[in-house]
Amino acid sequence: NDSLYVFCDNVGSGVGELKAVPNNGGAGWTFTWTKWDSGTGTFSVPIPSVDTSTDSILTNLPDGLYKVEATNGVNSFNDQAWVLNRLASS
């Protein structure tokens, strides 16, 4: 069950954004983002992100299912999110 859907508000831009922030807000996190590949049935497409030690952001995303895995050496988490961009009206 996916718990997050992201809709882009810029009509016709076709790009979304995702941000991962650990619940504990501490520093020292490493983030790995991947996109679902329907051909292989796995999260196998690596996605570059802009990271700090406390959060990670993906921008200019096309439609799709994305997954983030994060660790700080002691704690870890992973989440999935759909990006569904709104297309321009004709």
Side-chain angles (χ1 to χ4, degrees):
N1 294 330
D2 302 316
S3 59
L4 178 64
Y5 291 85
V6 178
F7 296 89
C8 182
D9 289 330
N10 297 325
V11 175
S13 68
V15 295
E17 180 176 298
L18 294 173
K19 181 176 184 177
V21 179
N23 287 338
N24 72 1
W29 288 87
T30 301
F31 301 90
T32 303
W33 290 89
T34 51
K35 184 177 180 189
W36 180 258
D37 181 342
S38 59
T40 64
T42 63
F43 285 96
S44 60
V45 180
I47 305 295
S49 59
V50 175
D51 300 342
T52 69
S53 63
T54 59
D55 64 29
S56 180
I57 299 174
L58 297 181
T59 58
N60 298 319
L61 299 174
D63 291 353
L65 178 58
Y66 296 84
K67 179 179 180 179
V68 62
E69 296 175 300
T71 183
N72 69 357
V74 176
N75 300 301
S76 65
F77 71 89
N78 67 69
D79 284 313
Q80 298 176 24
W82 281 98
V83 172
L84 304 169
N85 295 288
R86 183 173 57 176
L87 299 177
S89 305
S90 41

